[in-house]
Amino acid sequence: MTETRQSPLVLGAMMFGTTVDEDTSFALLDRFVERGGAWIDTADCYAFWAAGDGRGGASERVLGRWLAARPGVRERVRIATKLGAEPLEPGSWPARREGLGAAAVRHAFAGSLDRLGIDRVDLLWLHQEDRSVPIEETVDALAGLAADRFGVSNHPAWLVERGRAHALRTGARPFDALQLNATYLRPRPGTLPPGVEHRFGVLSDEQADYAAEHGMDVWAYTPLLSGAYDNPAKEIPPVYDHPGNAARLRALDAVAAETGAARGQVVLAWLLSRGLRPMLGGSKPHQLDAALDGVELELSVEQVERLSAADRFAWASPYAER
């Protein structure tokens, strides 16, 4: 029997257990594994804003029940979760959240393991920066946790470097992954796309260069603009409305026509060509299948270059040469 090739797509479980019911969540997870998916991403705070009690944890609980109901599947998947953004009390976010102090990190991680029903995670993320706590304290707290890798989401590059330097000095495992918002279109300078609540949440050239220089993975969240590339009922957010993106959309349309793929599938393939791992947060099986097909799409070197240079300011990502 031919072994299924592992897909580079990450399945985001943000809304599992809240707006995505358990049966649908299980069906998506089963289909993802069936088609070679491995990485599943969640967080202890998912999805407090959609939960009746204002608390996170629903997503991790659904994943825990799915893992328990599928003996042997744990060996086929990799679990990534995040900590640091759960509100201390319902309605208190963002003013009061668990943060990244040593005690909070240990407490949050223990809760995640309990909800997931596992004794170790494959990747643990710091969800967003916490400048009330020295990053060195957070790194020291991570060193004792049952996680194979550590990553950071929504942090500036200088703070990532400070944390990595401390880990290397003390013999701890340094951060080796970044999770940031990235897509084909570029937001106007000084703006944040919908759903990005952190000023360092959108992948910048500096962050991309830093990650490439240090051999770090980069995960791209909301790469499909919540379906706006292909769903006529959804408009592309106004932060992407500028002449450079008009040129990019023309190039995207042309490559989509050449390949016979949907625009969103071309976006996923382009992100992979730049060394970025796209994340899908869809809620329907057909969305998952379309995304899995998209990451299998092979663009030519000429198509990648044309897409990248469409606005005449090509993103000279160091990933393109690695």
Side-chain angles (χ1 to χ4, degrees), residues 256-316:
E258 292 164 10
T259 59
R263 293 202 303 187
Q265 291 175 320
V266 174
V267 169
L268 296 177
W270 179 82
L271 287 169
L272 280 172
S273 78
R274 313 304 286 175
L276 310 180
R277 184 186 290 269
M279 307 173 69
L280 178 76
S283 60
K284 298 179 175 62
H286 73 86
Q287 295 171 332
L288 175 59
D289 277 324
L292 288 163
D293 290 342
V295 295
E296 293 178 359
L297 177 66
E298 292 189 10
L299 301 176
S300 69
V301 172
E302 186 275 334
Q303 287 170 330
V304 170
E305 290 177 350
R306 189 163 18 120
L307 288 164
S308 301
D311 55 5
R312 298 186 182 180
F313 296 96
W315 179 23

Side-chain angles (χ1 to χ4, degrees), residues 165-298:
H166 180 71
L168 292 169
R169 281 195 303 271
T170 59
R173 179 169 185 129
F175 307 130
D176 66 7
L178 301 179
Q179 185 177 147
L180 296 153
N181 171 263
T183 185
Y184 175 59
L185 300 181
R186 306 167 186 257
R188 290 195 311 272
T191 67
L192 290 176
V196 180
E197 313 241 351
H198 319 282
R199 61 177 174 152
F200 298 106
V202 178
L203 179 66
S204 67
D205 287 349
E206 180 180 16
Q207 289 164 322
D209 185 64
Y210 178 86
E213 187 66 24
H214 293 85
M216 302 175 73
D217 290 341
V218 181
W219 292 20
Y221 68 78
T222 324
L224 299 180
L225 306 183
S226 301
Y229 282 111
D230 295 304
N231 187 346
K234 295 185 176 183
E235 72 170 353
I236 292 175
V239 297
Y240 297 106
D241 184 10
H242 58 77
N245 279 341
R248 289 201 152 213
L249 285 171
R250 287 193 295 271
L252 184 59
D253 285 335
V255 173
E258 292 164 10
T259 59
R263 293 202 303 187
Q265 291 175 320
V266 174
V267 169
L268 296 177
W270 179 82
L271 287 169
L272 280 172
S273 78
R274 313 304 286 175
L276 310 180
R277 184 186 290 269
M279 307 173 69
L280 178 76
S283 60
K284 298 179 175 62
H286 73 86
Q287 295 171 332
L288 175 59
D289 277 324
L292 288 163
D293 290 342
V295 295
E296 293 178 359
L297 177 66
E298 292 189 10

